[in-house]
Amino acid sequence: MSDLQHLLAIDDLGDDFRAILEWAIRFKQDPDRDYDFKPLDELSIGCIYEKPSTRTRVSFEVGVHKLGGQALTLLKGDIQMGKSETIADTGAVLSRFLDGITYRCFGHEMVEELSSNSSVPVINALSSKHHPCQAAADLMTIMERNPSLEGERVVWVGDGNNVLHDLMLACAMLGVDCVWAVPKGFEPENDVVNRAKEIAKKTGCKMTQSHDPVKACKGATIIYTDVFISMGEEHLTDKINAFEGFQVNEELVSNANDDYGFMHCLPAHRGEEVTDGVIDSENSIVFDQAENRMWAQMAILTYLCNQAAFQAYNELY
Ligand code: CP
Ligand code: NVA
């Protein structure tokens, strides 16, 4: 096990990523898990939000409670940070009270600043650049369908955004081929693509960029999309025009394998990046994905905040 303190991007988990997901899957299915395993007993986790959230907020609150801890949701308008106090001072102060902090912010540098001034683990709960908790739940969901992950071809259709960044890194870490079909000008950031390609060289899988969604979807086992306009980009009203031909609809998914899984981090803008016919189809696994946010985060919290308990639980099996 590493001595990792913070989780800002999914590749921070390094070689332990697969073990964390296997832990989450085992814990989710364990009929005895609620009796006496409370690794966050007496621990308090502060959850700061500068943007709205449904899944992240509820999954952290419920997940921390199930592990025996206390979650404090701290909304931007209710705390001093960013108004009369710096992020650095907030990190130092909260570290005196809390045992862990999750932070949903705008610029990625904000969560970097909080983590470098906090002595307790900081988990990125979505920044402009990364969404590691989402990627953990996503790969957990794919592993539930196919534990070995062999033969998976994950195809992203849409914007080169925060969710794609961690999805490609997560695929690379687990040796899963990943293709992203994005419009010209909306490619993922080079430093993330380079990181993913470096990891993929070691795990023996392919990371491929495309501008052609139809070609990309051929042979897909998973098709994944997200909103075309992310939180914080609402002013970019013309951006949507670049995504003609990138809607995940019945015609596009007919190129995938028959038993492909449709994924979306949610919230979905139905009729924009995905049609009702696809998201409501039998191939859709979006609600398993949403539920798995909680199980994956419970594994991550235990791993970061109580590593002895993380290992002890593994040794029971
Ligand atoms: N997928 C996700 O992070 O959802 P929320 O914005 O509702 O937390
Ligand atoms: N890319 C989206 C993901 C929302 C969960 C955003 O950042 O708004």
Side-chain angles (χ1 to χ4, degrees):
M1 293 281 165
S2 73
D3 53 3
L4 173 73
Q5 188 182 1
H6 306 298
L7 173 61
L8 302 194
I10 197 69
D11 50 337
D12 290 339
L13 294 178
D15 292 342
D16 289 339
F17 183 38
R18 187 183 291 268
I20 290 169
L21 297 188
E22 286 170 353
W23 195 103
I25 291 171
R26 193 182 310 130
F27 195 64
K28 177 182 177 184
Q29 294 165 352
D30 182 352
D32 296 329
R33 65 169 179 254
D34 288 335
Y35 295 126
D36 52 12
F37 186 70
K38 299 291 177 205
L40 299 190
D41 186 30
E42 297 293 324
L43 303 189
S44 300
I45 309 296
C47 305
I48 307 172
Y49 294 92
E50 297 194 343
K51 293 173 178 170
S53 168
T54 298
R55 278 142 290 270
T56 307
R57 176 173 173 175
V58 176
S59 59
F60 269 116
E61 288 190 15
V62 176
V64 168
H65 175 75
K66 281 183 186 291
L67 294 174
Q70 173 197 27
L72 290 89
T73 291
L74 306 166
L75 303 181
K76 183 187 178 184
D78 297 347
I79 56 173
Q80 307 281 15
M81 188 173 82
K83 295 190 286 284
S84 56
E85 193 160 36
T86 63
I87 293 176
D89 285 351
T90 306
V93 169
L94 291 183
S95 297
R96 300 292 179 105
F97 299 121
L98 298 171
D99 303 286
I101 303 171
T102 75
Y103 184 24
R104 170 165 287 196
C105 59
F106 284 92
H108 187 66
E109 66 287 352
M110 298 166 84
V111 67
E112 288 176 333
E113 189 178 347
L114 187 75
S115 63
S116 56
N117 289 282
S118 299
S119 58
V120 297
V122 171
I123 297 175
N124 179 2
L126 181 147
S127 67
S128 54
K129 187 164 177 179
H130 288 290
H131 198 0
C133 297
Q134 184 66 53
D138 296 342
L139 269 292
M140 174 181 171
T141 309
I142 300 171
M143 262 171 103
E144 281 182 321
R145 285 163 43 105
N146 175 8
S148 74
L149 294 172
E150 264 169 48
E152 292 292 342
R153 175 180 159 87
V154 173
V155 178
W156 173 274
V157 180
D159 189 20
N161 68 13
N162 47 2
V163 175
L164 171 60
H165 285 161
D166 287 74
L167 180 72
M168 72 167 74
L169 289 165
C171 285
M173 292 164 82
L174 298 182
V176 173
D177 289 349
C178 181
V179 183
W180 52 95
V182 294
K184 289 199 172 131
F186 295 92
E187 293 85 0
E189 293 183 27
N190 280 335
D191 69 300
V192 179
V193 173
N194 291 339
R195 261 151 68 197
K197 286 190 171 167
E198 275 306 303
I199 299 167
K201 261 192 226 160
K202 291 184 207 135
T203 58
C205 62
K206 287 188 229 140
M207 298 287 114
T208 314
Q209 180 162 290
S210 164
H211 294 299
D212 183 340
V214 174
K215 265 197 206 154
C217 285
K218 292 208 191 306
T221 59
I222 296 290
I223 295 182
Y224 197 136
T225 191
D226 181 15
V227 292
F228 296 145
I229 298 195
S230 283
M231 291 181 277
E233 293 185 339
E234 293 81 359
H235 58 288
L236 302 177
T237 42
D238 290 344
K239 185 179 171 189
I240 201 92
N241 301 328
F243 289 84
E244 213 186 308
F246 285 79
Q247 183 188 62
V248 178
N249 54 32
E250 289 82 334
E251 195 184 333
L252 185 65
V253 301
S254 69
N255 295 288
N257 289 2
D258 287 345
D259 60 352
Y260 87 98
F262 172 71
M263 297 181 78
H264 192 308
C265 57
L266 304 178
H269 293 173
R270 289 166 175 260
E272 229 167 80
E273 74 274 5
V274 61
T275 56
D276 287 341
V278 170
I279 196 169
D280 295 329
S281 72
E282 285 188 353
N283 293 79
S284 176
I285 50 175
V286 298
F287 299 118
D288 294 330
Q289 231 185 311
E291 178 189 340
N292 285 340
R293 290 294 305 278
M294 184 180 77
W295 301 111
Q297 287 159 197
M298 288 165 78
I300 290 168
L301 281 163
T302 305
Y303 174 86
L304 288 177
C305 300
N306 189 347
Q307 198 154 124
F310 183 88
Q311 290 181 47
Y313 184 76
N314 268 343
E315 281 156 21
L316 292 176
Y317 292 85

